[in-house]
C-alpha cells in the first residue's frame, strides 16, 4: 500500500509546468533573502563582538540596520513557495508537517522572537551600545527555524519513516534524526549564507553613503569571505550529493535540468571566486563589482533552487510519487489575473527596494 494519501480529486487549476516555474522563482527569491538574513546577521554579530576598528563598528551597524527590512522579504517571499509547494507536493508535505506539527507551528512564535531580537540588536548598534546577546538570540532562533524547515523538507521525501514516527508520538514533538542528507543540507545553507553575506558586503561597499575607508573595509572583507565560502561550498555540495541514495544519484545524472543547473552553479561559483578575489585583494573594476556581486548571487541561488527541485522530484519518483501525474483543468482567466497580480507584486517589491536605496542618504556611522 502507498504511504502517500490519495490524490485530491479536485483538478489543479493551472498547468503543472507553470506552478513549478512560479514555485522555483519564488523559492529562489526566498533563499536569497534568508541567506542575506542569516549570513548578514552572523557577520554583523562577529564584527560587533571582535571588531576593534571604527570601520568594523560601522559595518556591523550598517548590516544590522538592514536586517529587519530583509526579514520582511524573508517572510513575504516565503509564503508563495509554501503555497505552490502545497499544491504540488501536498500529499507528502502535509504529512511531514503533521508529523512534526508542534515544531512546525512553533515557527510562528520563533519567527516573532527572532524579528524582535533583530530590532533590538540593530537599535543598540545604531546607538553605539553593546547588543551581542540580542544578535546571538536572533541567530540561534533563525538557525532553529532553518533546522525545522530542513527537517520538514527532508521528512517529506522519506515516506518509509512516517508510520514509525507517528507510532512513536502522534503529538508531533519529535524532529526527525537519522537522515544522512540532513546535516549536509543544513551546512550547504549556512555556507551559502556566509557566501551571500560576502557578496552583499561588496554590493554595500559600492554605495555612496560610506566613507572611503569603511567602503574599502566592507569590500575587502566581503570579497575574501565570498571567495573562501565559495571554495568551502564546493566541498559541502559534493558531500551533499554523495549522501543521496544511489538510485537518486543515478536519476540525477540522467536529468538534463539537474545537469544544466549543476553546470550553472559551477559557473556561478567560479565567478564568485573571481569577483571575491578581485574585491578582496585588488582595487580593479570598483564600479562594476557591486553589480557583478549582485548578478552572481542571483545566478548561484537560482541554480541551487532548480537543482534542489530536481533532487526532490527524483527522490519522490523513486518512492512512487510523480509530481507531473495530476488531473489538470486550467482556468486561463484566473491564471491571467493571477499572473498580472504576481508581476504587479514583484514590481511593487522592486519599487520598495528602490525607495529604500534612494532614501538612505545619511552617512553610515554609529553614534
Ligand atoms: C528566519 C526565518 C526563516 C529561515 C531561517 C528559513 C530557512 C529556510 C531554509 C534553510 C530552507 C531550506 C530547507 C531545506 O530544504 O533544507 C527554507 C525553505 C523554505 N522556507 Fe524558509 N525560512 C524562514 C522563514 C520562512 C517563512 C516565514 C516562510 C513562509 C511563510 C518560509 C517558507 C519556506 C518554504 C516554503 C521553503 C521550502 C520551499 C520548497 O522547498 O518548496 N520560510 N527556509
Amino acid at each position: 500500500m502507498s504511504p502517500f494519501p490519495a490524490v485530491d480529486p479536485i483538478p489543479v487549476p493551472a498547468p503543472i509546468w507553470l506552478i513549478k516555474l512560479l514555485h522555483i522563482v519564488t523559492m529562489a527569491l526566498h533563499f536569497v533573502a534568508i541567506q542575506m538574513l542569516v549570513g548578514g546577521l552572523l557577520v554583523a554579530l562577529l564584527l560587533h563582538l571582535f571588531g576593534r576598528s571604527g570601520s568594523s563598528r560601522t559595518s556591523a551597524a550598517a548590516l544590522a540596520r538592514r536586517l529587519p527590512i530583509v526579514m520582511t522579504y524573508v517572510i513575504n517571499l516565503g509564503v508563495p513557495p509554501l503555497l505552490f509547494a502545497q499544491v504540488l507536493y501536498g500529499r507528502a508535505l502535509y504529512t511531514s508537517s503533521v508529523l512534526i506539527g508542534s515544531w512546525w507551528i512553533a515557527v510562528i512564535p520563533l519567527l516573532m522572537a527572532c524579528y524582535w531580537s533583530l530590532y533590538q540588536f540593530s537599535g543598540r548598534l545604531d546607538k553605539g551600545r553593546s547588543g551581542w546577546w540580542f544578535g546571538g538570540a536572533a541567530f540561534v532562533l533563525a538557525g532553529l527555524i532553518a533546522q525545522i524547515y530542513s527537517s520538514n523538507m527532508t521528512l517529506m521525501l522519506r515516506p518509509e519513516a512516517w508510520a514509525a514516527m507517528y507510532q512513536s508520538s502522534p503529538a508531533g514533538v519529535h524532529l526527525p534524526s537519522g537522515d544522512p542528507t540532513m546535516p549536509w543540507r543544513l551546512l550547504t545553507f549556512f555556507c551559502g549564507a556566509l557566501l551571500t553575506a560576502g557578496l552583499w558586503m561588496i554590493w554595500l561597499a559600492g554605495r555612496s553613503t560610506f566613507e572611503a575607508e569603511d567602503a574599502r573595509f566592507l569590500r575587502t572583507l566581503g570579497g575574501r569571505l565570498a571567495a573562501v565560502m565559495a571554495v568551502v561550498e564546493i566541498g559541502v555540495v559534493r558531500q551533499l550529493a554523495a549522501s543521496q541514495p544511489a538510485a537518486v544519484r543515478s536519476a540525477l545524472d540522467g536529468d538534463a535540468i539537474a545537469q544544466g543547473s549543476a553546470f550553472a552553479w559551477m559557473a556561478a561559483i567560479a565567478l564568485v571566486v573571481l569577483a571575491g578575489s578581485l574585491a578582496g585583494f585588488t582595487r580593479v573594476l570598483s564600479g562594476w563589482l557591486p553589480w557583478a556581486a549582485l548578478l552572481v548571487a542571483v545566478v548561484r541561488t537560482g541554480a541551487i533552487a532548480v537543482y534542489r527541485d530536481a533532487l526532490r522530484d527524483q527522490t519522490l519518483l523513486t518512492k512512487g510519487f510523480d509530481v507531473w501525474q495530476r488531473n489538470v483543468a486550467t482556468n486561463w482567466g484566473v491564471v491571467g489575473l493571477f499572473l498580472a497580480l504576481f508581476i504587479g507584486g514583484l514590481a511593487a517589491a522592486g519599487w520598495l527596494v528602490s525607495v529604500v536605496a534612494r532614501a538612505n542618504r545619511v552617512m553610515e556611522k554609529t553614534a
Side-chain angles (χ1 to χ4, degrees):
M1 196 183 79
S2 165
F4 296 104
V7 186
D8 194 330
I10 301 173
V12 180
I16 300 294
W17 63 263
L18 180 62
I19 301 182
K20 277 191 86 65
L21 181 70
L22 291 167
H23 181 208
I24 293 171
V25 170
T26 53
M27 190 163 70
L29 292 172
H30 173 63
F31 286 169
V32 172
I34 47 174
Q35 293 189 337
M36 283 171 75
L37 182 91
V38 174
L41 174 59
L42 186 56
V43 173
L45 184 59
L46 293 175
L47 285 175
H48 176 56
L49 275 174
F50 304 112
R52 292 284 162 261
S53 64
S55 289
S56 57
R57 274 199 299 280
T58 304
S59 304
L63 286 168
R65 192 174 302 136
R66 287 165 170 81
L67 294 176
I69 302 166
V70 173
M71 181 59 117
T72 61
Y73 285 93
V74 166
I75 297 170
N76 285 297
L77 293 169
V79 175
L82 190 56
L83 301 180
F84 294 127
Q86 285 167 359
V87 172
L88 292 171
Y89 305 99
R91 290 187 296 149
L93 185 55
Y94 283 131
T95 312
S96 57
S97 303
V98 170
L99 285 168
I100 60 161
S102 304
W103 288 100
W104 195 232
I105 287 174
V107 166
I108 296 165
L110 290 172
L111 194 63
M112 288 162 76
C114 178
Y115 212 162
W116 178 78
S117 309
L118 285 179
Y119 272 113
Q120 296 297 327
F121 182 52
S122 83
R124 278 162 191 265
L125 264 58
D126 258 343
K127 294 189 187 108
R129 291 166 59 194
S130 171
W132 65 266
W133 56 93
F134 284 114
F139 181 72
V140 170
L141 290 164
L144 185 55
I145 296 171
Q147 192 184 346
I148 295 171
Y149 269 99
S150 259
S151 297
N152 201 0
M153 298 304 147
T154 45
L155 183 61
M156 69 174 276
L157 305 179
R158 293 198 304 140
E160 64 280 6
W162 295 346
M165 249 188 105
Y166 186 74
Q167 273 152 17
S168 83
S169 165
V173 289
H174 295 306
L175 273 184
S177 58
D179 181 342
T181 67
M182 171 79 185
W184 296 112
R185 204 160 164 140
L186 263 181
L187 261 182
T188 311
F189 166 69
F190 282 109
C191 186
L194 283 172
L195 186 160
T196 308
L199 294 175
W200 186 21
M201 289 163 82
I202 302 176
W203 165 260
L204 285 179
R207 295 188 43 84
S208 56
T209 49
F210 289 97
E211 305 282 356
E213 193 187 334
D214 298 335
R216 200 171 319 118
F217 178 86
L218 271 170
R219 176 186 152 124
T220 309
L221 184 63
R224 291 177 187 181
L225 182 64
V228 168
M229 292 320 293
V231 176
V232 176
E233 182 166 288
I234 297 171
V236 175
V237 165
R238 278 176 69 93
Q239 290 300 324
L240 176 62
S243 67
Q244 302 301 324
V248 175
R249 286 205 305 272
S250 75
L252 285 170
D253 285 344
D255 182 327
I257 293 181
Q259 291 307 308
S261 57
F263 183 73
W265 170 77
M266 282 188 267
I269 284 294
L271 288 175
V272 174
V273 174
L274 180 66
S277 307
L278 287 176
F281 300 101
T282 74
R283 295 279 149 264
V284 297
L285 292 177
S286 32
W288 282 90
L289 267 178
W291 292 101
L294 182 67
L295 185 69
V296 286
V298 172
V299 173
R300 173 196 156 273
T301 313
I304 285 189
V306 174
Y307 191 84
R308 188 176 166 283
D309 184 68
L311 175 64
R312 167 161 49 203
D313 285 358
Q314 294 294 357
T315 310
L316 284 175
L317 207 51
T318 62
K319 320 258 165 122
F321 181 121
D322 185 350
V323 67
W324 297 93
Q325 287 293 316
R326 291 290 291 273
N327 195 2
V328 176
T330 304
N331 185 336
W332 285 110
V334 173
V335 170
L337 182 63
F338 169 80
L339 285 179
L341 291 172
F342 179 70
I343 292 166
L346 284 184
W351 175 73
L352 281 174
V353 172
S354 79
V355 169
V356 172
R358 276 177 285 131
N360 195 359
R361 286 289 155 220
V362 215
M363 291 310 276
E364 312 229 14
K365 277 278 171 205
T366 44

